[in-house]
Amino acid sequence: LKTHCKTAKGTHGVGVIFIDSKKTLVATIQLVNKLDEKRDMIIQEYIKTDYDVRAMVLENEVIAQLKRPIIDGDFRSNISQGNEPQKIELTELEKEECIKAAKSINSVWVGVDFIPSKDREKIPPYFIEVNASPGTKYINELNNINVHKMVVKTLQNRENWR
């Protein structure tokens, strides 16, 4: 058993726990329930990878992306935990799948986090989450855009309000 357990509401990788046994899973859930019995938990399969990707989707278009290498000595890739993101180009399949993920929550602007498949051209990525309030650190610099202006301009149009 190798999995992640994380709180449904969290940020910056805080509250994400690597689970390596059923005993650890049970103890972790018991602890979280003791602290806050109404706290929802998410259990995800652990997929070993060297990096994951955050794609920014605005109005059903991938406008930016970055590669987040796994932090040395950790299993997470969060920038807030000390990651140094890198530039990456997405395949057409990855873009299509990110747009589908964004549409699935009917949102104007989201961050879609995923682990690329071994064959990025033919096999869809493994989704980690669709984030309705994504962090944007390094997005502008690595993509030569101003994501904040793009989001504000989009949201100024009342037709985009949902």
Side-chain angles (χ1 to χ4, degrees):
L1 172 75
K2 288 191 179 176
T3 187
H4 299 86
C5 184
K6 64 184 181 179
T7 57
K9 291 183 180 177
T11 183
H12 304 300
V14 175
V16 180
I17 302 157
F18 181 80
I19 304 293
D20 59 359
S21 70
K22 184 177 178 183
K23 188 187 319 185
T24 304
L25 176 62
V26 170
T28 301
I29 291 172
Q30 288 172 335
L31 175 62
V32 171
N33 282 335
K34 181 176 181 166
L35 296 172
D36 180 358
E37 63 186 35
K38 295 184 182 190
R39 176 68 59 188
D40 293 327
M41 302 291 295
I42 297 171
I43 298 171
Q44 291 179 311
E45 176 185 1
Y46 171 73
I47 300 172
K48 186 166 177 46
T49 185
D50 294 330
Y51 69 95
D52 67 24
V53 175
R54 165 154 296 166
M56 293 288 179
V57 179
L58 179 64
E59 275 299 303
N60 299 320
E61 179 186 351
V62 175
I63 60 166
Q65 62 277 326
L66 53 77
K67 176 180 180 178
R68 304 183 308 180
I70 301 302
I71 301 164
D72 286 339
D74 204 335
F75 64 96
R76 297 172 293 177
S77 62
N78 301 78
I79 293 169
S80 58
Q81 297 291 330
N83 181 327
E84 287 293 326
Q86 302 165 0
K87 192 173 183 89
I88 189 171
E89 293 298 320
L90 299 188
T91 66
E92 287 305 311
L93 177 61
E94 289 168 336
K95 289 178 187 177
E96 290 168 12
E97 294 296 313
C98 286
I99 291 166
K100 283 183 196 174
K103 285 180 178 179
S104 76
I105 65 163
N106 195 30
S107 186
V108 174
W109 175 53
V110 295
V112 179
D113 298 343
F114 68 87
I115 297 170
S117 66
K118 299 248 186 264
D119 185 347
R120 294 176 57 208
E121 298 287 339
K122 295 180 182 171
I123 301 171
Y126 304 96
F127 290 105
I128 300 167
E129 70 178 345
V130 179
N131 194 323
S133 59
T136 59
K137 194 170 185 179
Y138 297 103
I139 282 289
N140 292 335
E141 299 86 348
L142 291 173
N143 291 275
N144 247 358
I145 63 169
N146 187 325
V147 71
H148 307 101
K149 280 186 178 179
M150 294 171 78
V151 169
V152 168
K153 183 177 180 184
T154 298
L155 294 177
Q156 283 175 332
N157 179 351
R158 286 182 182 255
E159 291 178 17
N160 291 325
W161 295 10
R162 294 191 176 93

